[in-house]
Amino acid sequence: MITLYHPGQRAHNPQFFLSSGAAKPCPEQPSRIDALLSGVHSLGLTAQTPDDHGLDAIAAIHPQRYLTFLQNIHQRWQHIEGASAEVVPNIHPANRSTHDGGGYPLSAVGQAGYHMTDTACPIGPKTWEAAYLSAQTAIHGAELLLQGHRSAYALCRPPGHHCFAEVAGGFCYLNNTAIAAQQLTLSGRKVAVLDVDLHHGNGTQGIFYDRPDVLTVSLHAHPERFYPFFWGYPEERGTGNGEGANLNLCLARGSADQAFLWALHQALTAITVWGADTLVLALGLDAFGGDPFAGLAVTTPGFAQIGLEIAALGLPTLIVQEGGYLCPELGQNLAAVLQAFL
């Protein structure tokens, strides 16, 4: 297995995180990289630096006005008298459809609200740089599969699965998983995206929701009492031509290995029936019982079994890092999953 990571991903260092009305230090810290790399190194693997493949694959998912926003908003924000050090929205549109009376503002404050769905995606001076390199890591991983490699691990930080086509959210700015899946699809692969993060992959679902050519499957804590709250329910099956190409498997808070593995069995059955020939695994490790978000209770041996069952599909697999936050076992949990693909 080739593993990929770019050191420039450390440049993004968010400080602000609003949770239940309280400002707290952001848990999506650069030190997550060190913990994840410890898991990579424990398997005798060395991370390679991905090539820069440019903007084309990113622009195949994200519209130009959104990319322009990400590249320029922090500098624009600094010209606002009394503005915060990081870009954090204070207003959001009721809808983002110009057909339903939703305009597109010219002001930095208005655009921040338009392109940021929550206050958990602050934009600092190096956010674009890190997000761009995180996406390049996933793009290079997809290229490796197209070259014939059976598996690759892309250490992507910041993560991506809460990012819609032009709306950041939940620590995510570019949807690395969707970018890789689109790249593989455009190259003729029949791609399934399997998201095993604690939180629903709402951005990935939104990007592919009306498309029949990519199957999106997400296992996650039930959103009725857990972020992202408004997406991730079982009845969300896709729309239009994409109806039936989206599957959400919701777990009760505190669910442990047995329940997670039962849901995973349903997910893998759906992927097999759909006839995928390539898998993009959105790997969140925050389903761990000791993760700071404490939503589920998967164990380290549970992650090992998760890896074994996914690897048993026998599909070329790109593993894209999503969540998983600082706890002593973070690197061990990653190694437990990757071991199955070695």
Side-chain angles (χ1 to χ4, degrees):
M1 170 185 286
I2 295 179
T3 65
L4 300 162
Y5 154 71
H6 197 292
Q9 294 177 125
R10 295 181 184 273
H12 172 61
N13 189 15
Q15 302 298 306
F16 184 85
F17 176 57
L18 189 65
S19 177
S20 301
K24 300 177 181 179
C26 183
E28 206 291 284
Q29 290 296 310
S31 51
R32 291 182 63 230
I33 292 169
D34 299 310
L36 294 166
L37 285 176
S38 73
V40 170
H41 296 154
S42 73
L43 297 174
L45 301 172
T46 302
Q48 300 180 14
T49 303
D51 295 334
D52 187 337
H53 296 267
L55 277 170
D56 286 353
I58 297 172
I61 289 294
H62 298 290
Q64 183 57 53
R65 72 175 179 182
Y66 177 61
L67 299 179
T68 299
F69 166 81
L70 288 179
Q71 289 170 294
N72 297 294
I73 188 59
H74 186 266
Q75 183 178 7
R76 294 172 59 202
W77 195 259
Q78 303 315 302
H79 296 301
I80 302 172
E81 184 177 355
S84 56
E86 297 174 296
V87 180
V88 180
N90 59 275
I91 186 169
H92 300 279
N95 67 74
R96 291 179 170 86
S97 171
T98 56
H99 301 295
D100 296 324
Y104 185 70
L106 295 178
S107 84
V109 172
Q111 287 184 5
Y114 190 95
H115 289 300
M116 302 167 76
T117 193
D118 55 40
T119 57
C121 52
I123 296 176
K126 298 292 186 179
T127 298
W128 166 254
E129 175 185 338
Y132 176 84
L133 294 172
S134 185
Q136 295 302 321
T137 305
I139 293 166
H140 194 124
E143 283 297 316
L144 290 174
L145 262 60
L146 293 173
Q147 293 166 14
H149 292 269
R150 296 296 296 176
S151 63
Y153 169 63
L155 198 172
C156 294
R157 187 268 161 188
H161 72 150
H162 294 309
C163 180
F164 292 80
E166 58 174 347
V167 185
F171 313 145
C172 302
Y173 307 90
L174 296 173
N175 195 313
N176 309 308
T177 292
I179 290 166
Q182 175 76 344
Q183 183 182 2
L184 291 162
T185 300
L186 292 176
S187 297
R189 300 294 184 94
K190 189 172 185 181
V191 178
V193 175
L194 172 61
D195 192 321
V196 297
D197 192 278
L198 166 65
H199 306 92
H200 175 245
N202 55 328
T204 310
Q205 171 178 294
I207 287 167
F208 294 115
Y209 202 60
D210 61 354
R211 288 176 48 173
D213 56 338
V214 176
L215 176 69
T216 48
V217 183
S218 181
L219 285 68
H220 49 270
H222 204 297
E224 60 188 1
R225 295 186 181 275
F226 210 72
Y227 186 91
F229 299 110
F230 311 112
W231 304 271
Y233 292 81
E235 57 267 27
E236 296 163 17
R237 299 284 294 157
T239 189
N241 291 333
E243 186 173 355
N246 188 81
L247 175 63
N248 289 321
L249 299 163
C250 304
L251 296 164
R253 288 286 294 270
S255 293
D257 294 352
Q258 185 175 0
F260 198 97
L261 289 167
W262 172 244
L264 180 63
H265 173 73
Q266 297 175 66
L268 299 181
T269 298
I271 290 168
T272 300
V273 170
W274 193 71
D277 60 26
T278 303
L279 181 70
V280 177
L281 173 60
L283 178 61
L285 298 166
D286 42 2
F288 180 60
D291 186 90
F293 282 104
L296 297 175
V298 175
T299 65
T300 301
F303 278 114
Q305 189 61 35
I306 289 167
L308 287 170
E309 297 206 12
I310 296 172
L313 282 177
L315 297 177
T317 301
L318 173 61
I319 303 167
V320 177
Q321 187 64 52
E322 294 290 356
Y325 301 93
L326 289 173
C327 61
E329 300 85 358
L330 180 55
Q332 300 170 33
N333 293 336
L334 174 61
V337 176
L338 296 186
Q339 178 69 52
F341 292 87
L342 297 180

